[in-house]
Amino acid sequence: MEFETKAIHVGEEPNLTGGDSSDVVIPIHLSSTFARGKLNAPPNKYEYSRSGNPTREALEKRLAALENARFGLAFSSGMAAVTTICLTMLKAGDHILAFDDLYGGTKRIFEKVFNTNFNIELSYVNATDVQNIENSIRKNTRLIWLETPTNPLMKLCDIRAISRLAHENNITVVVDNTFMSPYFQQPLELGADVVVHSTTKYLNGHSDSVGGAIMLSDEALFNQLKFNQNTAGAILSPFDSFLVLRGLKTLPLRMKQHEENAIKIANFLDSSPLVQKVYYPGLKNHPQHELAKRQMSGYGGMMSFVLKGGPEEAKAFLEGCRIFTLAESLGGVESLIEHPASMTHSYLPKEEREKLGISHSLIRLSVGIENINDLLTDIQNALNQIK
Ligand SMILES: *Cc1c(COP(=O)(O)O)cnc(C)c1O
């Protein structure tokens, strides 16, 4: 089955074999518990909704299908999914090797919880060069943690090359695929072992649900993750599972439109005399454009750019946008704009931000699916606000 068809049907096949109803859309099963007829016979399939719930399970099947994985799990947030992977795979003394340009919340839990309280070693490398990964592998390295492209500088890493290297060293590769979604990038096909998502972003796509997901094909690891999902308890609610199931049906359509709009905006910004630099993997001048072409089937809807001038100019532009809404998060149908230095990445010390290239003139866009002419006009109007 092709991606678009799976996005609509997997997990919601109508039950035509019995019962009173053959819903085309799976019901929201709110029941927290499920009855049994006999003391020693468990209920049909479900016992208690933390352990398993029909609506969540429908979503989990679909999530797995979209990443070409055998198994999927749905969590109450992206961070809950990240945490469950760490709880499941790491013990004191293990080492995480991570891309230095990760989502802030992931860095925060690695540093402030797993490293500080649980004696998990942690090192960051610039994973754009596989050699840096090779040089940083230790005897106790258990996980390599990647995002590609990264947030907000849109740096890529080579999932295939890094996975090959990792497997020679018995290391598990986790890829946070939130930025691309499985529509544009399939890390498991490239050799990664585990994919994690914030479904809050593109997968749900409508900025009205917070959730997370893990997809993988290793059955033993899946069973451990599922055990810990039930044990630690950070499951996605039935209502949110319904929302993500519904959102996923239009994921292919949305991703195509996000990308079509993003390419036009990237080109527009790239040719503006007020813009110093645009970071978008679809531009030929992106340093890893060739890797992007090889590794992804599209370039997505995220980009960032450096405006000429100082903080005043950036502020005038950010506040001059009307359709691009000034807010954190990404991946919804509506266009968002944000200022990493004072919003998503403000937790980083100034020196570290500057070392990474997150200056006060860096602006990040999550390009939505509105009409492109309105989006371009909005950007032009905001540029006109700069004195
Ligand atoms: C948002 C995000 C997360 C965290 O997900 P939540 O749903 O906010 O907990 C993790 N990784 C990436 C890349 C994200 O954008």
Side-chain angles (χ1 to χ4, degrees), residues 76-80 82 103 106 147 151 176 178-179 197-201 210-212 329-330:
S76 53
S77 69
M79 287 318 302
V82 169
Y103 176 72
T106 304
E147 282 175 29
N151 173 15
D176 182 334
T178 301
F179 261 40
H197 276 279
S198 167
T199 63
T200 314
K201 319 294 168 53
V210 172
S329 200
L330 60 111

Side-chain angles (χ1 to χ4, degrees), residues 306-331:
V306 180
L307 207 56
K308 286 187 185 156
E312 285 309 309
E313 283 76 8
K315 184 169 184 290
F317 180 83
L318 288 158
E319 292 178 356
C321 286
R322 288 287 166 271
I323 296 175
F324 276 90
T325 304
L326 187 56
E328 295 189 9
S329 200
L330 60 111

Side-chain angles (χ1 to χ4, degrees), residues 60 70-73 88 194 214-229:
E60 292 176 334
R70 289 175 65 206
F71 308 105
L73 290 166
T88 304
V194 179
I214 299 173
M215 296 81 143
L216 77 166
S217 290
D218 179 326
E219 186 161 12
L221 181 54
F222 165 73
N223 286 330
Q224 291 169 0
L225 288 163
K226 173 126 181 104
F227 178 86
N228 281 338
Q229 181 193 42

Side-chain angles (χ1 to χ4, degrees), residues 16-247:
L16 302 173
T17 59
D20 294 336
S21 108
S22 52
D23 308 86
V24 168
V25 172
I26 189 150
I28 304 171
H29 288 266
L30 293 173
S31 194
S32 59
T33 187
F34 301 87
R36 58 173 79 195
K38 296 227 163 45
L39 177 61
N40 292 325
N44 293 338
K45 187 169 174 196
Y46 305 101
E47 292 182 37
Y48 183 63
S49 270
R50 168 158 40 71
S51 322
N53 171 279
T55 315
R56 190 171 88 237
E57 203 171 284
L59 171 63
E60 292 176 334
K61 273 194 200 151
R62 181 167 307 161
L63 290 167
L66 295 181
E67 286 282 5
N68 274 321
R70 289 175 65 206
F71 308 105
L73 290 166
F75 291 83
S76 53
S77 69
M79 287 318 302
V82 169
T83 303
T84 303
I85 293 173
C86 293
L87 282 179
T88 304
M89 302 206 56
L90 297 169
K91 58 183 183 345
D94 285 347
H95 172 232
I96 308 176
L97 182 53
F99 203 160
D100 60 10
D101 199 21
L102 291 186
Y103 176 72
T106 304
K107 281 190 161 176
R108 185 170 55 199
I109 197 160
F110 283 177
E111 291 167 20
K112 305 278 188 242
V113 180
F114 289 109
N115 181 255
T116 305
N117 299 340
F118 294 98
N119 192 27
I120 304 288
E121 292 174 27
L122 173 67
S123 49
Y124 294 119
V125 287
N126 178 351
T128 59
D129 183 350
V130 186
Q131 193 61 48
N132 293 338
I133 298 259
E134 186 158 14
N135 296 343
S136 309
I137 289 177
R138 302 178 189 170
K139 276 206 182 62
N140 55 342
T141 304
R142 179 79 182 89
L143 288 182
I144 293 181
W145 198 284
L146 304 173
E147 282 175 29
T148 175
T150 60
N151 173 15
L153 291 166
M154 308 303 291
K155 290 192 242 172
L156 275 66
C157 60
D158 187 333
I159 298 172
R160 193 187 292 279
I162 295 173
S163 298
R164 200 178 295 136
L165 182 64
H167 295 157
E168 284 165 11
N169 292 279
N170 260 324
I171 301 167
T172 300
V173 176
V174 180
V175 177
D176 182 334
N177 201 25
T178 301
F179 261 40
M180 277 299 111
S181 91
Y183 185 70
F184 282 139
Q185 180 167 271
Q186 304 245 304
L188 299 179
E189 299 287 298
L190 296 165
D193 303 289
V194 179
V195 167
V196 61
H197 276 279
S198 167
T199 63
T200 314
K201 319 294 168 53
Y202 288 107
L203 296 188
N204 180 60
H206 295 73
S207 307
D208 52 11
S209 158
V210 172
I214 299 173
M215 296 81 143
L216 77 166
S217 290
D218 179 326
E219 186 161 12
L221 181 54
F222 165 73
N223 286 330
Q224 291 169 0
L225 288 163
K226 173 126 181 104
F227 178 86
N228 281 338
Q229 181 193 42
N230 182 41
T231 302
I235 46 148
L236 192 64
S237 77
F239 184 73
D240 285 278
S241 298
F242 156 77
L243 285 175
V244 181
L245 276 164
R246 183 160 79 159

